[in-house]
């Protein structure tokens, strides 16, 4: 996908292609993303299966299993495990206990 700059002129896509450009919105989709989506010809949708892109909350594992190869999301499964400090620390501790000698972890504290 290509998201044009604000000053770029865009030509209209064929109508048949425009009908397929559906973007799944969420309550946390940033305004900048909403504006770019609108400028590029995408139409917001709330339907479960008829979308090409999604920018929003972390999806549940069951939702990731139903994603088609052509659908794109802004998260991958388990990103909250590294994005949240408490989860990141829990996972670092788990790694430390499994593979890193105690003396080498002192520099990370």
């Amino acid at each position: 996908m290509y998201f044009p700059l604000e000053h770029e002129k865009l030509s209209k896509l064929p109508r048949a292609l425009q009908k397929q450009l559906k973007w799944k919105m969420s309550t946390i989709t940033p305004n900048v993303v909403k504006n770019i989506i609108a400028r590029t010809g995408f139409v917001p949708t709330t339907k479960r299966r008829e979308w090409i892109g999604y920018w929003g909350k972390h999806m549940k594992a069951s939702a990731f299993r139903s994603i088609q190869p052509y659908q794109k999301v802004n998260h991958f499964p388990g990103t909250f495990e590294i994005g949240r400090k408490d989860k990141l620390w829990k996972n670092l501790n788990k790694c430390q206990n499994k593979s890193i000698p105690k003396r080498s972890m002192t520099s990370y504290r």
Side-chain angles (χ1 to χ4, degrees):
M1 284 185 213
Y2 173 73
F3 294 107
L5 299 173
E6 192 172 346
H7 67 276
E8 286 183 76
K9 297 255 184 206
L10 304 173
S11 57
K12 291 270 185 186
L13 295 171
R15 186 80 177 127
L17 185 57
Q18 284 181 345
K19 287 183 178 183
Q20 296 176 18
L21 296 178
K22 296 182 181 174
W23 195 276
K24 185 177 179 182
M25 296 290 189
S26 87
T27 56
I28 66 162
T29 302
N31 286 335
V32 67
V33 174
K34 290 178 186 177
N35 292 337
I36 291 171
I37 290 166
R39 286 187 63 234
T40 54
F42 280 87
V43 177
T45 186
T46 55
K47 295 188 178 178
R48 296 185 134 200
R49 301 193 189 276
E50 297 180 7
W51 52 272
I52 293 175
Y54 171 74
W55 185 296
K57 299 176 184 177
H58 292 278
M59 299 171 86
K60 294 181 179 172
S62 59
F64 275 110
R65 284 191 281 277
S66 65
I67 291 176
Q68 299 300 313
Y70 61 86
Q71 293 175 318
K72 307 296 179 209
V73 297
N74 68 319
H75 293 289
F76 56 87
T79 53
F80 62 92
E81 293 288 335
I82 58 173
R84 285 184 42 188
K85 290 177 186 172
D86 60 334
K87 297 280 189 180
L88 178 61
W89 179 246
K90 182 186 89 175
N91 290 319
L92 279 174
N93 273 335
K94 198 184 298 182
C95 285
Q96 175 186 358
N97 293 335
K98 287 182 179 180
S99 62
I100 302 172
K102 290 277 186 201
R103 66 176 184 265
S104 68
M105 275 303 285
T106 57
S107 61
Y108 297 111
R109 292 185 181 177

